[in-house]
Amino acid sequence: MGFSSRKSFKAGPFRVTASKSGLSYSAGMQGVRVTRRTDGRVQTTVSVPGTGLRHTTTTDGGPQPAAAGPTPAAAPSGRRRRPGAWYFLVVLLSAGVLSAVPFAHAAARLQRKSLLVRAGCYAAAVVAFGALSSLTPKDAKGQAVGAAGNLLSGLSFLLLIAVIATACYQLVPLRREVFGLAAGAARPDHPAAADPVVAARLAARARRDEARLLAQNDSVLARDLHIGRPDLAGDYDDGGLIDLNHAPARAIAEACSIEPALAERIVAARQELGSFSSLDEVFVFARVEDGTAALIREYAVLLPR
């Protein structure tokens, strides 16, 4: 048995977790939480309290831990391609004026009407910026004059900065989805996939990966589909995921094939923290052994509360 140790510290909005796999930490307040995982990924969740509106993104960090099963083929050496980088260039080089263009492109690629609505919102913001600029009193040199001019000029500047920052923030996960970057390299066929039992398990694993990606990009839709909630009736097949932030102890025990006592500890830790921002927090606060942690990680998902 290998040596392992975990410690966690909580101080107000800050949580720090030290484990054998590394150091993870999170910070946040109502409506915003940022978590840096031990694998280097940074997860950001922004919500509007009382509305149910949430947006979660996860950025890649350092090298990812090796996944179980065959290792994907190494990428060829040489200059690394960055498909979809033009999304950000369009926004930045146009100073936000063309922010609607990447979202319109994504809407066409993904056939998603909500993205067209988002593109329309950015176009409307640019029109509002133009209206504010035209209403701003200016002198012969084009400089804002008077109190009204300074106020309108300041509002125009803040609106433009907000458009650029928000567009770039939302384009991070969208670019990955459009250009097939979020799911990572495709796994090769499993050598035992000809066995129908193995094939069924691999298909369930693929469904879990797909459902996790959906939950990451649209937590509201994930709630509607009851992803990770086998205790609720639903038609969507999530491959057997369990939402550790919402599911009851009995459902957690059955989904992860763990002892009911451990499932109860997970629920108790959840009630103490309010919600889990990473699986490392689950393992530390619920005192989960390493072997069991690997099993839970296979089936767990964390939807924001």
Side-chain angles (χ1 to χ4, degrees):
M1 178 181 296
F3 174 77
S4 64
S5 176
R6 289 192 179 99
K7 291 185 179 180
S8 182
F9 307 92
K10 180 182 177 184
F14 301 97
R15 301 176 192 167
V16 180
T17 301
S19 65
K20 183 174 66 175
S21 57
L23 184 69
S24 66
Y25 51 86
S26 66
M29 54 185 294
Q30 185 178 18
V32 180
R33 177 158 290 276
V34 179
T35 302
R36 185 189 185 280
R37 303 175 180 176
T38 56
D39 59 7
R41 294 182 179 182
V42 177
Q43 176 179 302
T44 304
T45 300
V46 180
S47 63
V48 181
T51 66
L53 298 176
R54 291 180 175 84
H55 181 74
T56 301
T57 58
T58 303
T59 60
D60 290 331
Q64 304 299 317
T71 303
S77 59
R79 186 176 180 180
R80 186 179 179 183
R81 294 182 59 196
R82 296 184 180 275
W86 65 269
Y87 273 15
F88 304 98
L89 292 177
V90 166
V91 174
L92 295 174
L93 295 181
S94 68
V97 173
L98 299 180
S99 295
V101 173
F103 293 95
H105 176 268
R109 289 284 297 271
L110 300 177
Q111 296 296 306
R112 192 178 299 168
K113 292 182 179 179
S114 61
L115 293 176
L116 280 178
V117 174
R118 193 177 299 182
C121 291
Y122 280 104
V126 172
V127 171
F129 168 76
L132 287 174
S133 298
S134 64
L135 293 174
T136 302
K138 300 176 182 178
D139 57 20
K141 297 181 179 180
Q143 300 295 324
V145 295
N150 291 330
L151 176 60
L152 292 175
S153 178
L155 289 176
S156 300
F157 176 77
L158 291 177
L159 176 60
L160 194 60
I161 292 299
V163 166
I164 295 173
T166 305
C168 289
Y169 176 81
Q170 293 182 341
L171 285 174
V172 171
L174 189 59
R175 165 182 169 254
R176 293 174 180 166
E177 186 176 359
V178 171
F179 294 93
L181 305 178
R187 296 179 180 177
D189 293 336
H190 197 282
D195 187 310
V197 176
V198 175
R201 295 301 178 91
L202 291 175
R205 177 182 291 174
R207 291 293 296 171
R208 290 195 292 273
D209 291 341
E210 177 183 330
R212 283 194 183 96
L213 178 61
L214 188 155
Q216 173 184 317
N217 292 328
D218 195 334
S219 61
V220 175
L221 178 58
R223 286 174 180 270
D224 292 340
L225 295 175
H226 296 160
I227 289 178
R229 296 300 304 272
D231 54 306
L232 301 178
D235 298 326
Y236 181 77
D237 179 12
D238 61 11
L241 287 179
I242 187 71
D243 180 9
L244 300 185
N245 268 340
H246 296 87
R250 181 178 179 180
I252 295 174
E254 292 178 355
C256 298
S257 300
I258 60 177
E259 294 293 329
L262 174 55
E264 292 288 353
R265 292 206 304 270
I266 292 175
V267 172
R270 180 177 74 199
Q271 293 174 344
E272 177 187 353
L273 296 175
S275 67
F276 297 116
S277 60
S278 70
L279 288 178
D280 289 319
E281 287 186 354
V282 177
F283 302 149
V284 170
F285 285 94
R287 304 185 305 279
V288 180
E289 298 292 336
D290 288 343
T292 306
L295 181 62
I296 294 176
R297 192 181 296 275
E298 176 68 25
Y299 295 95
V301 66
L302 298 174
L303 289 177
R305 299 192 75 178

